[in-house]
Amino acid sequence: MFDINVYSVINSIIGACILMILCFLLEKLVIRGTITSTVYFLTFPLILLRLLLPVEIVNKTTLIQVNKILPSVIRLLKRELFHIMPNICYAVISVSTLDLIALSFSMISIMKCSRLIYAYCALCIRLKYVLPSQDEKILSVLADIQKKNHFVFQVRVIQNEFIHNPFEFGLLKQTICLPPTDYSEEELYFILSHELQHFKNKSNWFRMLTNFLTAIFWWNPFVLFYSASIVPMIEINCDEHTIIGFDDGLKAKYLSCLLSELKHRHDQKANKTIHFFSSNGSSLSKRFRFITEKHKKSKIICCLSIFIITSAFLTSYFFMVLPYFDVPDSEIQMPEFTKENSYILRKGDSYIIYLENEPYIILDSISETFSTLPIMNED
């Protein structure tokens, strides 16, 4: 029932790109406060699932044949460049343009994924030997936030001179990293609440998977744009839960705290020692707009958005783009018609040519090709 081939893989990438395009529209609705950020993040598992299941539903998929640019591209990719004859066998291996492209792209993807793993492991080792903070003010504010929000997961808070901006880190061992700054209790409440929301929403896992997605599909511009879009959306998602119950005054102080941290980040721009999961400063304008907007959630638009992205995901499995190749006349082989295997059935003013007792073609008149065949009249 299911089949995997080159064209089904290409179709899975096209389907994922369509979902990514929808993400740009959903992002606008989230920033305006029309839908929740949860609706936006529903596209993430669908995109991963579409890429991980590049299958064709046999006898159910509608084939869309393209007869202009795509066939030329396929011919170029399948063109043989050279042959390799290994010493261990007598077989000849032909190398095409597609083979070289696939090999080079795969090597670059492996290198990028390796760099991500190395960066994560290096940061784990670096933070492993930093002792947890014993600052009573920090621990007191942290305990109050966890009690208020019913957070039962364990979190370690560290402070170090090599940390220049607050950020969260850790897929399993969750750590909040703070610079050695004398924050007020209010600033600590804003910062720790935001970072704890990252752990609650598992946004660090989202970010890690997005980084790997970008590393593997680095050549796809839609993936790069999607990666740039999901970074501010992760922060907005945490902001959305952090500012619940805030009045305009508290929102203004929260934004002031964000600006203060951005200033420190610019001051320490040359030092990029510990910023793996930290957000991009360019996303701050979107976060400001989201926090200052008067939110009017629409259940109808939320449901409609979910319906559209789900329909786009399912529909992508029932359509597949294929190249259409015109067969040259020289390659069309006409079967041989003889008295032993063929005959003509006259039906009114038409003639039906039968080959091996099966109708082959209907003609208005008999050509020279079939002139030797016996003619039978329809009873």
Side-chain angles (χ1 to χ4, degrees):
M1 184 178 179
F2 298 101
D3 183 35
I4 297 179
N5 51 62
V6 174
Y7 299 112
S8 67
V9 173
I10 295 175
N11 197 58
S12 71
I13 297 175
I14 295 174
C17 289
I18 293 173
L19 291 173
M20 292 176 191
I21 293 173
L22 292 176
C23 286
F24 298 127
L25 302 177
L26 295 176
E27 178 187 327
K28 304 297 182 183
L29 295 176
V30 171
I31 294 176
R32 292 176 182 175
T34 307
I35 64 175
T36 63
S37 55
T38 305
V39 177
Y40 175 92
F41 285 108
L42 283 177
T43 60
F44 188 80
L46 295 180
I47 291 172
L48 289 182
L49 193 61
R50 191 65 187 91
L51 293 172
L52 294 175
L53 295 177
V55 298
E56 170 194 354
I57 303 177
V58 180
N59 298 327
K60 297 292 183 180
T61 302
T62 301
L63 304 180
I64 303 174
Q65 293 187 319
V66 180
N67 60 356
K68 291 185 179 181
I69 299 176
L70 189 56
S72 301
V73 174
I74 297 299
R75 288 192 184 98
L76 177 63
L77 293 177
K78 290 185 175 180
R79 181 180 298 172
E80 294 185 1
L81 299 178
F82 53 87
H83 299 279
I84 299 176
M85 185 178 294
N87 295 328
I88 58 175
C89 62
Y90 295 99
V92 177
I93 302 175
S94 61
V95 178
S96 65
T97 306
L98 180 60
D99 295 329
L100 285 182
I101 293 176
L103 179 61
S104 58
F105 278 27
S106 299
M107 292 299 295
I108 295 175
S109 297
I110 292 172
M111 291 174 59
K112 287 181 174 291
C113 289
S114 300
R115 289 179 60 185
L116 280 176
I117 296 173
Y118 174 80
Y120 179 80
C121 293
L123 190 51
C124 281
I125 295 172
R126 183 175 298 183
L127 297 181
K128 180 180 179 181
Y129 299 102
V130 180
L131 296 176
S133 174
Q134 300 299 322
D135 190 310
E136 293 184 1
K137 182 168 61 175
I138 294 176
L139 297 179
S140 175
V141 173
L142 178 66
D144 289 342
I145 297 172
Q146 289 182 307
K147 182 179 179 180
K148 178 182 177 182
N149 294 277
H150 306 289
F151 294 153
V152 295
F153 48 83
Q154 296 296 319
V155 178
R156 184 175 67 125
V157 180
I158 63 173
Q159 279 187 303
N160 191 277
E161 60 181 355
F162 294 105
I163 302 173
H164 302 291
N165 292 101
F167 69 96
E168 52 81 22
F169 177 79
L171 300 176
L172 300 176
K173 295 183 178 180
Q174 300 166 134
T175 303
I176 296 177
C177 304
L178 297 176
T181 303
D182 186 18
Y183 292 109
S184 66
E185 289 190 4
E186 188 175 59
E187 289 175 328
L188 281 173
Y189 181 85
F190 293 149
I191 294 171
L192 295 178
S193 295
H194 180 90
E195 302 303 339
L196 286 171
Q197 288 295 336
H198 278 296
F199 294 129
K200 177 180 180 295
N201 301 331
K202 303 297 182 183
S203 55
N204 46 352
W205 285 91
F206 275 108
R207 185 69 188 274
M208 174 64 87
L209 292 175
T210 304
N211 287 338
F212 277 107
L213 187 69
T214 307
I216 295 172
F217 296 96
W218 58 269
W219 44 269
N220 189 332
F222 288 100
V223 175
L224 299 179
F225 290 139
Y226 176 70
S227 177
S229 169
I230 203 171
V231 171
M233 292 306 300
I234 288 174
E235 299 299 333
I236 285 175
N237 178 259
C238 294
D239 291 335
E240 182 178 16
H241 291 86
T242 301
I243 64 174
I244 292 177
F246 281 20
D247 56 20
D248 291 341
L250 279 178
K251 288 181 180 180
K253 292 180 180 180
Y254 184 80
L255 293 175
S256 176
C257 184
L258 289 178
L259 283 176
S260 176
E261 293 306 315
L262 180 66
K263 179 180 180 298
H264 294 158
R265 179 173 299 175
H266 284 176
D267 292 342
Q268 304 292 341
K269 190 174 181 180
N271 193 328
K272 300 180 179 179
T273 52
I274 305 179
H275 287 294
F276 187 65
F277 285 125
S278 56
S279 64
N280 192 332
S282 62
S283 67
L284 198 62
S285 60
K286 295 180 181 179
R287 297 173 66 182
F288 262 61
R289 183 179 174 185
F290 171 80
I291 294 173
T292 55
E293 282 280 351
K294 297 296 182 181
H295 294 185
K296 295 181 180 179
K297 298 290 191 299
S298 173
K299 291 184 178 180
I300 296 177
I301 297 180
C302 285
C303 294
L304 183 61
S305 301
I306 294 173
F307 174 77
I308 290 174
I309 60 179
T310 306
S311 299
F313 170 76
L314 296 175
T315 304
S316 66
Y317 277 100
F318 292 93
F319 292 92
M320 188 164 66
V321 178
L322 287 175
Y324 176 80
F325 296 96
D326 292 324
V327 180
D329 295 337
S330 59
E331 296 183 9
I332 299 177
Q333 296 182 353
M334 178 73 74
E336 184 179 359
F337 295 92
T338 65
K339 294 179 180 180
E340 287 73 22
N341 65 5
S342 308
Y343 64 90
I344 302 174
L345 177 63
R346 179 185 292 170
K347 187 176 181 179
D349 296 332
S350 301
Y351 299 90
I352 304 175
I353 313 299
Y354 276 76
L355 177 65
E356 303 292 347
N357 292 322
E358 295 290 337
Y360 181 79
I361 191 172
I362 301 177
L363 300 174
D364 293 331
S365 60
I366 300 176
S367 62
E368 295 182 0
T369 305
F370 311 108
S371 58
T372 59
L373 300 182
I375 300 178
M376 302 174 61
N377 294 316
E378 184 180 30
D379 295 335

